[in-house]
Amino acid sequence: MIDGRLVAGYLRLATPGHTVAPGGAVDDLVARLRELVLARVGEAAAAALEDERAGPEAWSRVARAIEEAGRRDPAFAREATRLCDELARRGAQPVPWPAESVTCPQCGHLTRSGHAFCDHCGIFLEWASSSVPAPTGSPAPPAHRSEPPAPVEASASTLEMSGGDESGRRVAQAIIDQALSTYVQRGRLLFNPPEQMRQGRTERVRVAIAQHGGLDPQLRALAPGTEDALIEDLETTPFMEVDLQGPAFSIVSLQAGDTAEQLLRPTALWQFDVTPERGGTHSLHLRVAMRVPLPDRDERVSLPALERTVRVRVDPAYGGRRFIRAHWQWVLATAAGLGGAVGAWIRLFQD
């Protein structure tokens, strides 16, 4: 699925006031992206590109037109995404969406308008600034949209806010659908545990998530040594939670504090020290969840777990040390018993 807002952000590098160095590789890539989009999208993109005062509404129309063209023409979607990835690899950044800054009503921090959460305290901005539920009409068309990962139904408190009857239920469900449509984006995940490990030897496992496409080079930079690692698509919201589990491993999270949740800015990194405790073939399970803001609560939505198989080589010395630590009393008693038996046997022959 093509990310219309990302493509539009890079396309804005071709507008007056946002030019790049002429003649360079980035300039050439931007020109190719401009030609590609104009050939598929036409008037909407041309009008926005020619008007340096084009605002969020005009560029939102361009983003939606790009996504619609991508659904009709997969080859266009692939080429536009490839050009954006190449621009990101060369260090180019998409032009920020035209917007003003807003003040968080809880902490006073300035956050770019259009962000779902405060960059400082993490509170959901729209409903933090108003006690009025979301509009009762149909949800707005999404800027970044894929199918929601799991159905979320209205809670009792959401229904109470909306009246509690059948009409209120429809309003509450519309609120939820609007939240999913607005804040669930197609992101990227890098998770690359070793294929082979040695029993008792600790290795660092990293998990990196990006909020949208075009950030694969940044993900690899967060996790050194993963140049050839597979990067997968997944659904994201601004706040994501990651947990790594495996019954045959000792796993220590290196995140600060007690929470596994992080804000994507637009990427985030989770690190774990993983020590295999048993030899053989075992699995590591990565559990990922996202926080979806609703008027009365934040809904935690779990995504399908990822599983990686690891072959663990046996270390006889480590196994011996573990056995002694676990059964030291029995070992001492056995050694004392054997020592007494040997002493008695020696005395018997001496007599």
Side-chain angles (χ1 to χ4, degrees):
M1 178 180 177
I2 190 170
D3 187 337
R5 285 177 68 102
L6 179 69
V7 176
Y10 278 116
L11 192 63
R12 292 188 65 213
L13 290 173
T15 60
H18 295 101
T19 54
V20 294
V26 171
D27 182 63
D28 180 60
L29 289 167
V30 171
R32 288 160 59 189
L33 182 64
R34 183 181 187 275
E35 293 176 3
L36 179 68
V37 173
L38 286 175
R40 297 298 193 282
V41 175
E43 293 183 3
L49 283 166
E50 293 171 4
D51 184 4
E52 60 182 301
R53 295 173 298 176
E57 292 185 2
W59 282 103
S60 291
R61 288 194 294 272
V62 173
R64 289 195 292 271
I66 289 171
E67 291 180 352
E68 180 61 31
R71 284 190 287 270
R72 293 194 307 267
D73 186 353
F76 162 69
R78 288 193 296 271
E79 179 61 13
T81 300
R82 187 192 68 79
L83 289 172
C84 290
D85 289 344
E86 182 63 20
L87 282 164
R89 191 181 70 81
R90 294 179 181 274
Q93 295 293 324
V95 177
W97 211 248
E100 301 294 331
S101 294
V102 296
T103 302
C104 173
Q106 175 164 292
C107 70
H109 182 78
L110 286 177
T111 298
R112 182 176 294 277
S113 178
H115 282 203
F117 300 88
C118 172
D119 290 339
H120 179 69
C121 69
I123 194 171
F124 179 58
L125 292 170
E126 181 178 343
W127 290 316
S129 60
S130 173
S131 60
V132 180
T136 59
S138 300
H144 303 277
R145 183 69 171 114
S146 52
E147 291 303 313
V152 181
E153 296 184 354
S155 68
S157 52
T158 305
L159 291 175
E160 184 177 349
M161 289 175 60
S162 304
D165 54 11
E166 184 59 32
S167 175
R169 183 179 294 276
R170 288 196 298 270
V171 170
Q173 195 61 52
I175 292 172
I176 293 169
D177 292 342
Q178 184 176 14
L180 291 172
S181 298
T182 303
Y183 301 113
V184 175
Q185 303 183 33
R186 179 63 63 89
R188 301 281 279 168
L189 167 75
L190 185 151
F191 172 46
N192 190 41
E195 294 182 357
Q196 293 188 13
M197 300 180 73
R198 187 176 181 85
Q199 185 184 16
R201 180 175 298 174
T202 301
E203 296 198 37
R204 182 71 47 84
V205 173
R206 297 175 175 89
V207 180
I209 296 179
Q211 193 171 4
H212 54 74
L215 294 173
D216 287 6
Q218 286 87 331
L219 289 184
R220 297 191 192 281
L222 283 175
T226 60
E227 290 76 10
D228 299 323
L230 177 66
I231 299 181
E232 306 176 39
D233 289 338
L234 86 163
E235 308 290 354
T236 69
T237 58
F239 278 92
M240 300 294 292
E241 179 180 324
V242 167
D243 183 34
L244 185 63
Q245 299 180 1
F249 302 85
S250 171
I251 301 175
V252 178
S253 172
L254 302 181
Q255 303 311 118
D258 298 328
T259 179
E261 184 179 74
Q262 290 197 62
L263 173 65
L264 304 184
R265 296 175 179 255
T267 60
L269 174 69
W270 289 259
Q271 300 187 86
F272 304 87
D273 276 348
V274 179
T275 307
E277 295 187 334
R278 299 201 302 267
T281 301
H282 304 287
S283 295
L284 284 169
H285 302 276
L286 182 69
R287 305 181 187 277
V288 181
M290 60 186 183
R291 193 208 305 175
V292 179
L294 300 177
D296 59 327
R297 73 192 192 282
D298 284 350
E299 183 72 21
R300 182 179 177 277
V301 179
S302 295
L303 303 177
L306 297 177
E307 180 177 344
R308 295 289 187 272
T309 300
V310 180
R311 295 190 296 275
V312 180
R313 291 177 295 168
V314 175
D315 183 339
Y318 176 78
R321 292 193 299 270
R322 283 193 67 209
F323 178 83
I324 292 173
R325 284 197 300 268
H327 306 284
W328 63 271
Q329 292 176 321
W330 179 86
V331 171
L332 287 178
T334 301
L338 287 174
V342 170
W345 184 77
I346 293 174
R347 288 194 299 272
L348 177 64
F349 278 91
Q350 286 177 342
D351 295 340

